[in-house]
Amino acid sequence: MRSLRFHARLLALYFAQYAKARLAYRADFATAVLASFLGTAASFSVVLLLFSRFPHLAGWSFHEIVFLYGFSLLPYGFFNVLSGNLYEFADRYLVEGRFDRILLRPVSPLFQIFFESFRLESLQEVLTGAVAVAWAASKLPGLSPLGLALLPLWAVFGAVIYLSVFGILTASSFWIEDRVGLAPPVFNLMAFGRYPITIYDLKVKVLLSTVIPFAFASFYPTTLALGRTSFAPFFWAVPAVALLFAFLNRAIWRRGIAKYGSTGS
Amino acid sequence: MSEPAVRVRDLVKTFEVTRKSPGLAGALKGLFRSERTTLTAVDHVSFDLDRGEMVGYIGPNGAGKSTTIKMLTGILTPTSGDVTALGLVPWRDRRAYTKSIGVVFGQRTQLWWDIAVVESFRLLREIYGVSEADYARRMKVFDDLLDVGRLLPQPVRKLSLGERMRCDLAASLLHEPTLLFLDEPTIGLDVVAKANVRSFLKEANKLLSTTVILTTHDLDDIEELCERVVLIDRGQILWDGSLRGLRDRHLPEARIRFDLNPIPAGDPAELSVGPWRAARLSQGRYQIVVDKREVGTADVLREVVRDLPVLDLAVGEPDIEEVVARIYRENAALRRPGAEALPEGGAPGAVAHRGVRRG
């Protein structure tokens, strides 16, 4: 418990320091936010375009799709804010040797890797997503209040799932020298979660619900609110999946750090 | 204190290195089978550090200094052997242990690159749980001794190497560690910055009775700071004692270097000064190497000044690299086949042995 409070305070401090440093270059930051927003807007407009032709997609209405898509931006945005260091881990920490410094501080190494840098502009995604969800919700009658109330918490679980999966992929650099790695193709899989899982074939459904459980991060969490009761078991499994992958991630990092300790690389 | 601050026994660290064959064919071959070599970086090292002691840990590049330090700081786990530091096992009790040690790597900063120095200090204050009162008091001391006050508002990336090192030293002592590791703390610093760093370390050691272990290439660091040196080469300790003792035993030389004016006729390659020979270094500059076991340096000096038109004169001693090179040569000679009592490869006590195995 003390450790939790200590880490929470430290996180707030890390974030404040990073934001301060980042905001020192206002124009630079504003450009980054704008670029990030344009990216989100562009991929969103693909959905709008699609629906100008087909008012329904495999039994999902336009507003439901906006709801779904908007929600998917929440865990995705949180993930993007925190994942900056994961991409750089192999080069900046292992090759350049900064990982030594991480090990010399009385703070969890994984905590330091996740929270030493933030991609602030991705907060834009969280905001855009929230606006889209709110708008779609206002157009959809009969949403489940419990489903809506749980959305923010489920978004956090979703972010935990994304971070854990990419944490595990990043930890592979402890064993594999390949710097390109598996992260980019897996990253592309995140886009699948923006649409109802029912539109994919069985293989994709299984993949997104098991090894790479992205459906638990962005699709299943919306099903309770949208009244798709057939997905209820999946909806309620979200916290367990998040905890399972967080636990796996931690275990793999432990082994990675032990391996680093024995080889120094 | 009876209990030493650090107790190292039979510490061994080996690394597996994959040998890569050259060229594309080699790379392809490497896909199927790779030749692995075991490299012994630290080979049965033992020593104790007493509380408040300041020890120089020296040796040539690749001797095993950094590997030892990394094990003592808990970054690396040893292949075998024991370390007890402040009553803890560094790599096993890492979180608790890192609270009471400080580490400075001369080559790398531990401060956050993009934020102001003072912000880094605030983060460290939080990480190590230093109270506001202690923080204020210590920052005052750092400002007095290291003049870091005016550097605090600047981001680390804008500091010069010397400024950064001063900040790094202060940062490493913010939580008043009982044990301080310094890896090349004066590397790349100018003369003034070096002097500042050294006097600070002396002061800190005296004030806080911090145990300090220092690796360096710079003999002057050791000479000014450390009563005791531990010399390591090829993973083994070759000397553990005073620097003077090390020099006197292995390279008891003094070098008298002098400039003559006028330049002797004919610009000879050698001059005689009494029974000694002075070798020409450049036009008008000569050097006599004095074997201190045979004669006092002052006696030679007296004759040089009396016999020659000396314009300027300096007496030097061999630097650590030279002493180490000499010891290394002696060490290598001992290890040649047929040399007494040293087993070939494999056995403990042999130097940095290599074994090849297919994997």
Side-chain angles (χ1 to χ4, degrees), chain B residues 121-141:
Chain B
F121 278 86
R122 289 209 185 114
L123 283 172
L124 291 171
R125 188 184 87 73
E126 191 70 30
I127 289 175
Y128 290 101
V130 178
S131 74
E132 279 291 355
D134 283 344
Y135 177 78
R137 191 171 48 76
R138 287 170 200 169
M139 289 307 280
K140 170 89 178 51
V141 176

Side-chain angles (χ1 to χ4, degrees), chain A residues 46-148:
Chain A
V46 173
V47 183
L48 301 180
L49 217 66
L50 205 64
F51 270 86
S52 66
R53 294 184 163 264
F54 313 100
H56 284 271
L57 182 68
W60 297 75
S61 77
F62 172 68
H63 290 119
E64 282 180 314
I65 294 290
V66 173
F67 187 90
L68 188 55
Y69 198 110
F71 176 80
S72 79
L73 287 173
L74 304 180
Y76 182 72
F78 284 132
F79 165 76
N80 279 336
V81 171
L82 295 176
S83 64
N85 258 349
L86 293 184
Y87 299 98
E88 314 222 23
F89 179 73
D91 286 334
R92 283 180 62 180
Y93 288 83
L94 292 183
V95 177
E96 280 179 27
R98 288 190 197 194
F99 198 61
D100 287 356
R101 190 205 61 201
I102 296 283
L103 294 178
L104 291 173
R105 291 204 178 120
V107 180
S108 145
L110 200 52
F111 176 93
Q112 295 181 71
I113 299 296
F114 275 131
F115 302 133
E116 269 200 347
S117 116
F118 302 90
R119 216 178 299 142
L120 287 184
E121 60 269 26
S122 286
L123 283 175
Q124 164 279 127
E125 285 157 2
V126 178
L127 200 69
T128 310
V131 170
V133 169
W135 179 79
S138 74
K139 301 283 177 188
L140 288 164
L143 291 178
S144 141
L146 178 63
L148 284 176

Side-chain angles (χ1 to χ4, degrees), chain A residues 134-187:
Chain A
W135 179 79
S138 74
K139 301 283 177 188
L140 288 164
L143 291 178
S144 141
L146 178 63
L148 284 176
L150 288 177
L151 277 185
L153 188 57
W154 259 236
V156 171
F157 285 129
V160 169
I161 291 175
Y162 285 147
L163 286 169
S164 302
V165 168
F166 283 93
I168 291 167
L169 289 175
T170 304
S172 71
S173 347
F174 282 114
W175 293 274
I176 307 167
E177 253 180 74
D178 176 19
R179 300 284 173 236
V180 182
L182 291 159
V186 176
F187 187 82

Side-chain angles (χ1 to χ4, degrees), chain B residues 305-328:
Chain B
V305 176
R306 199 186 57 212
D307 292 0
L308 295 167
V310 174
L311 180 70
D312 198 3
L313 177 145
V315 182
E317 284 184 317
D319 64 30
I320 200 66
E321 294 293 334
E322 269 187 272
V323 178
V324 167
R326 170 69 62 98
I327 296 171
Y328 168 63

Side-chain angles (χ1 to χ4, degrees), chain B residues 196-265:
Chain B
N196 283 338
V197 166
R198 285 179 195 141
S199 64
F200 173 74
L201 288 175
K202 240 187 281 184
E203 201 66 24
N205 174 247
K206 208 165 64 190
L207 282 176
L208 308 169
S209 63
T210 312
T211 309
V212 181
I213 178 160
L214 167 84
T215 76
T216 183
H217 274 94
D218 194 329
L219 179 67
D220 297 337
D221 283 347
I222 305 287
E223 215 141 21
E224 271 203 45
L225 298 171
C226 306
E227 298 278 307
R228 173 179 162 206
V229 289
V230 175
L231 171 71
I232 177 170
D233 183 34
R234 300 201 161 194
Q236 294 185 315
I237 291 181
L238 297 184
W239 176 265
D240 184 348
S242 73
L243 182 65
R244 172 105 341 250
L246 172 71
R247 264 221 206 89
D248 288 350
R249 195 174 127 159
H250 290 279
L251 201 55
E253 282 181 5
R255 284 99 189 254
I256 304 173
R257 194 173 280 198
F258 48 90
D259 294 330
L260 300 178
N261 190 25
I263 295 160

Side-chain angles (χ1 to χ4, degrees), chain B residues 90-110:
Chain B
W91 54 92
R92 198 175 309 143
D93 314 312
R94 203 159 37 75
R95 203 82 77 79
Y97 180 63
T98 48
K99 276 189 185 165
S100 31
I101 65 167
V103 185
V104 175
F105 289 119
Q107 316 263 32
R108 269 184 237 132
T109 182
Q110 56 160 325

Side-chain angles (χ1 to χ4, degrees), chain B residues 31-110:
Chain B
L31 284 177
F32 301 104
R33 53 156 44 168
S34 54
E35 211 162 289
R36 300 241 206 162
T37 306
T38 305
L39 205 108
T40 307
V42 173
D43 194 3
H44 295 86
V45 160
S46 303
F47 57 82
D48 285 345
L49 300 181
D50 286 329
R51 277 167 206 269
E53 205 178 6
M54 213 162 173
V55 175
Y57 196 57
I58 59 175
N61 286 331
K65 288 181 303 219
S66 290
T67 307
T68 313
I69 297 294
K70 282 183 178 179
M71 287 189 278
L72 296 189
T73 52
I75 294 172
L76 288 180
T77 40
T79 308
S80 67
D82 299 305
V83 176
T84 314
L86 312 174
L88 299 169
V89 177
W91 54 92
R92 198 175 309 143
D93 314 312
R94 203 159 37 75
R95 203 82 77 79
Y97 180 63
T98 48
K99 276 189 185 165
S100 31
I101 65 167
V103 185
V104 175
F105 289 119
Q107 316 263 32
R108 269 184 237 132
T109 182
Q110 56 160 325

